[in-house]
Amino acid sequence: MAQVLEFKLPDLGEGLTEAEIVRWLVSVGDVVAVDQPVVEVETAKAMVEVPCPYGGVVTARYGEEGTELPVGAPLLTVAVGASEGADASAPAQAPTATPAPTATKAAVTPQAAAPARASASASASASASDEASGNVLVGYGTGAPAARRRRVRRAPLTASHVATALVREPVNGGAGPVPVVSPLVRRLAREHGVDLRELTGSGRDGLILRCDVERAIHQGATQAPPAVGAPAPATAPTPLPASAPAQAPAPAPVAASPSARPGVTRVPLRGVRGAVADKLTRSRHEIPDATCWVDADATELLAARTAMNAAGGAKIALIALFARICTAALARHPELNSTVDSAAREIVRLPEVHLGFAAQTDRGLVVPVVRDAHARSAESLSAEFARLTEAGRSGTLTPGELTGGTFTLNNYGVFGVDGSTPIINHPEAAMLGIGRIVPKPWVHEGELAVRQVVQLSLTFDHRVCDGGTAGGFLRYVADCVEQPAVLLRTL
């Protein structure tokens, strides 16, 4: 006996309310193990694999690749406890059940079966079956043991219940239901290229059995003959309502807006692009920001980096040195390592520095976060920047690696620009921008010389501090850039 359980898109955390299906990892009829990844989805934070907490046979999938689903929407259904032996015995048990007429089963739709799915889902959550782990933590696996729960014995579903649930699933990409119960039958047909919609089942109410598929395979045809021993009909048999593929209605033409012009392209604001748009809009609406900037002579900082890398060991990235300078500056000016609780009208100063850095990837702008940056050395910061940058490019950053920042570095100098007034990464209070480092004429020790000059800008939330604090922070950063020995005083 099998129970058909529904697995819904789980809560993705961090305020995420929807996800886009990128790639299905299983097909209808596949046998899945507990906690096996079944679908790859893209959220506004990252691309993750979603594991299914049930073990059994996949009986239905909801949503095509590219479809965006809200949290709580059905992803797939799994027949828990289904086996080949149970499938083979299903037709023999059919006389003891009271199946619905064929026309009734053919009319079942996912919308009409929603109460049944909800009931199955409630039953799954109430029972602690061995085929379900109860863990659905997205992005981090589901290996952690589930909480101990009472084991409740429930009456198994009848064969007619399983048939009703499984008969809804389209096969081979068709539009209507097919009268087939056994996953083994579906798999056998799929492996041999047999279209189940073209078969007339010999089982009760037109149920397609394994022998029907095997007969079609041996005869090399897609239409099976009447079952042996079945009375010959006086007239041509009327096909099942579900056996003919439904003709999809032609899409209605979309009326062009009066302002539409040839060549205009519309790009949906969703996924990473949509999340960035929402966050920047909220930042502009809520944060009264201001920007100050200063030019600094980075010649000595570059020389110090060259000397450090020449000494051997791990290479030190330039952004790691700026990060080290920032954490020292935040220790002197903790107002900028804070957030504003608007509801309580309070400024919340944070003890740890979780340093975000803007990274441009093929999927858009992402801001990975280096945890506890204030406690890391330059070598440790370099390694973590490199790891997170590579993860961002490959799309494997987890939601936890993209959230929780308290201050952000924005190295827009890599794009060949000198300065910028960036939008603060809400709900943080400040962002340091680093322009390109270029040779410029500079007065050094009373003489005009060519020096390596960088423009630094600080965008800050004017609610957390005044211009004096922001200027003091930026001046300290510039002093450390011009004379790295200044940093030694804070170590």
Side-chain angles (χ1 to χ4, degrees):
M1 294 295 181
Q3 285 183 306
V4 179
L5 304 181
E6 182 179 76
F7 175 45
K8 299 180 180 180
L9 181 64
D11 184 359
L12 305 174
E14 299 294 345
L16 300 175
T17 57
E18 65 275 326
E20 179 181 342
I21 296 176
V22 176
R23 182 167 61 98
W24 282 105
L25 305 179
V26 296
S27 301
V28 173
D30 287 353
V31 178
V32 296
V34 173
D35 292 344
Q36 174 182 333
V38 293
V39 65
E40 189 178 68
V41 301
E42 182 179 24
T43 70
K45 300 294 185 182
M47 190 176 301
V48 295
E49 292 181 347
V50 179
C52 178
Y54 309 129
V57 178
V58 177
T59 62
R61 297 188 322 193
Y62 300 96
E64 300 297 328
E65 295 179 355
T67 303
E68 194 169 65
L69 297 178
V71 170
L75 268 180
L76 50 77
T77 55
V78 178
V80 176
S83 64
E84 182 175 349
D87 295 332
S89 63
Q93 296 168 348
T96 63
T98 308
T102 304
T104 302
K105 287 195 287 186
V108 174
T109 63
Q111 290 79 10
R117 292 200 306 268
S119 175
S121 178
S123 174
S125 61
S127 63
S129 171
D130 292 337
E131 291 83 1
S133 69
N135 302 311
V136 288
L137 187 58
V138 177
Y140 302 92
T142 62
R148 299 187 64 182
R149 295 161 287 181
R150 289 185 56 195
R151 189 175 186 87
V152 181
R153 294 285 184 179
R154 294 183 180 272
L157 299 179
T158 64
S160 62
H161 291 155
V162 178
T164 302
L166 300 184
V167 79
R168 297 175 299 158
E169 178 64 13
V171 178
N172 296 338
V178 172
V180 58
V181 168
S182 172
L184 179 63
V185 172
R186 290 196 301 272
R187 177 173 296 180
L188 185 65
R190 185 171 60 250
E191 291 175 351
H192 292 83
V194 176
D195 189 352
L196 291 173
R197 299 185 177 282
E198 307 240 350
L199 298 184
T200 300
S202 59
R204 184 182 179 89
D205 294 324
L207 191 68
I208 297 177
L209 306 179
R210 179 173 181 174
C211 62
D212 299 325
V213 177
E214 291 176 342
R215 186 179 297 111
I217 294 172
H218 294 321
Q219 292 181 355
T222 57
Q223 177 64 41
V228 177
T235 59
T238 302
L240 293 174
S243 62
Q247 297 295 328
V254 179
S257 63
S259 60
R261 299 187 305 274
V264 173
T265 302
R266 291 179 176 268
V267 180
L269 273 176
R270 64 183 187 184
V272 174
R273 187 72 262 162
V276 170
D278 293 340
K279 197 162 191 176
L280 295 182
T281 301
R282 182 178 182 184
S283 179
R284 267 288 186 247
H285 284 171
E286 296 185 11
I287 299 178
D289 59 342
T291 302
C292 55
W293 56 88
V294 65
D295 290 341
D297 180 3
T299 306
E300 297 299 328
L301 182 67
L302 294 179
R305 175 175 176 259
T306 301
M308 294 169 69
N309 288 337
K315 298 298 182 182
I316 305 299
L318 186 60
I319 192 173
L321 296 181
F322 276 103
R324 189 68 188 84
I325 293 172
C326 274
T327 57
L330 289 172
R332 286 173 166 250
H333 303 277
E335 299 93 335
L336 295 171
N337 192 58
S338 62
T339 186
V340 175
D341 186 343
S342 300
R345 294 185 61 82
E346 293 177 342
I347 298 173
V348 182
R349 294 184 182 175
L350 306 169
E352 301 89 6
V353 178
H354 300 317
L355 195 64
F357 65 99
Q360 192 70 36
T361 70
D362 293 339
R363 299 176 59 242
L365 178 69
V366 295
V367 185
V369 177
V370 177
R371 302 286 170 183
D372 298 316
H374 61 289
R376 293 177 180 266
S377 64
E379 288 186 359
S380 175
L381 287 168
S382 294
E384 189 66 359
F385 276 121
R387 184 188 72 81
L388 292 172
T389 299
E390 180 58 31
R393 290 171 179 168
S394 61
T396 57
L397 287 168
T398 65
E401 292 170 332
L402 288 164
T403 54
T406 63
F407 187 92
T408 296
L409 273 177
N410 191 348
N411 183 19
Y412 42 74
V414 297
F415 302 115
V417 297
D418 296 327
S420 174
T421 55
I423 299 176
I424 296 174
N425 187 23
H426 185 279
E428 298 170 13
M431 176 185 294
L432 179 70
I434 307 168
R436 62 175 180 161
I437 302 177
V438 293
K440 288 184 179 181
W442 191 266
V443 177
H444 176 65
E445 296 181 352
E447 296 183 357
L448 187 64
V450 176
R451 306 288 286 181
Q452 300 294 325
V453 179
V454 61
Q455 185 179 99
L456 305 173
S457 63
L458 177 70
T459 299
F460 62 99
D461 186 341
H462 224 313
R463 296 174 298 178
V464 304
C465 68
D466 296 325
T469 300
F473 174 92
L474 189 58
R475 187 64 256 171
Y476 178 81
V477 171
D479 290 344
C480 290
V481 170
E482 293 183 343
Q483 302 177 38
V486 173
L487 186 61
L488 297 176
R489 300 173 187 169
T490 61
L491 295 179

